[in-house]
Amino acid sequence: MSNVSPNALRASLKAFLGEQEYRKFLEAGAADPMKFWQEKSWERFVAEHPEMAIGSDERASALDVCPAHEAPLLAGFTDSPEGHTFTNTPEMQRDFPRAPLMPLLVAGVCRVKYCQLCISAKAEHVANRDHQKGVRA
């Protein structure tokens, strides 16, 4: 276990990569195997910040957060194999990228990682949209 706190690691990586690349990095996930471009970004980051060099398990744990809220991701299940898809409009992808399309269940066909803050933001967005359209619940 290193002396690097997850918050310090995320703040340093965000400053190094910039907001857009940092979000892209989080969206791709940080567990091994990382994508080629992530490995190269991580190598450049650690070369510039050797004090942030940590093991892959610790890195994956520290960076297993929502790209929008930086809240820890939770695990759940959906009834559909497509339930893991987080396909949304660009606005929705920016504001609540980890709100699954399918309802979450205690057990199911597909394991998903989600953000409770994303689910709340999406529910508020849908309620406001429906209210503006005059739809009643």
Side-chain angles (χ1 to χ4, degrees):
M1 190 67 119
S2 74
N3 293 334
V4 178
S5 79
N7 289 337
L9 175 69
R10 289 192 297 269
S12 294
L13 185 61
K14 185 186 238 179
F16 178 79
L17 294 176
E19 181 74 33
Q20 188 173 2
E21 284 299 307
Y22 174 72
R23 261 186 89 122
K24 181 180 168 186
F25 196 99
L26 292 180
E27 286 169 2
D32 281 337
M34 289 193 300
K35 295 184 176 10
F36 178 77
W37 63 267
Q38 285 178 294
E39 289 176 5
K40 294 302 173 193
S41 293
W42 182 256
E43 289 169 5
R44 285 190 347 267
F45 171 67
V46 171
E48 190 166 314
H49 300 280
E51 72 281 5
M52 295 291 170
I54 57 176
S56 61
D57 289 343
E58 193 173 358
R59 178 193 63 225
S61 177
L63 298 177
D64 193 24
V65 297
C66 173
H69 303 106
E70 291 195 26
L73 294 176
L74 305 170
F77 295 90
T78 68
D79 263 343
S80 167
E82 290 79 38
H84 69 283
T85 306
F86 294 94
T87 306
N88 290 311
T89 65
E91 175 192 60
M92 293 168 78
Q93 187 61 29
R94 181 193 68 234
D95 295 341
F96 35 89
R98 288 292 181 197
L101 298 175
M102 304 297 292
L104 290 165
L105 306 168
V106 175
V109 174
C110 185
R111 184 176 184 265
V112 295
K113 291 204 138 186
Y114 68 94
C115 169
Q116 189 60 51
L117 296 172
C118 282
I119 290 173
S120 297
K122 184 175 183 179
E124 185 176 325
H125 170 81
V126 170
N128 288 338
R129 181 192 66 201
D130 290 348
H131 179 71
Q132 289 172 353
K133 290 181 179 180
V135 175
R136 294 187 183 162

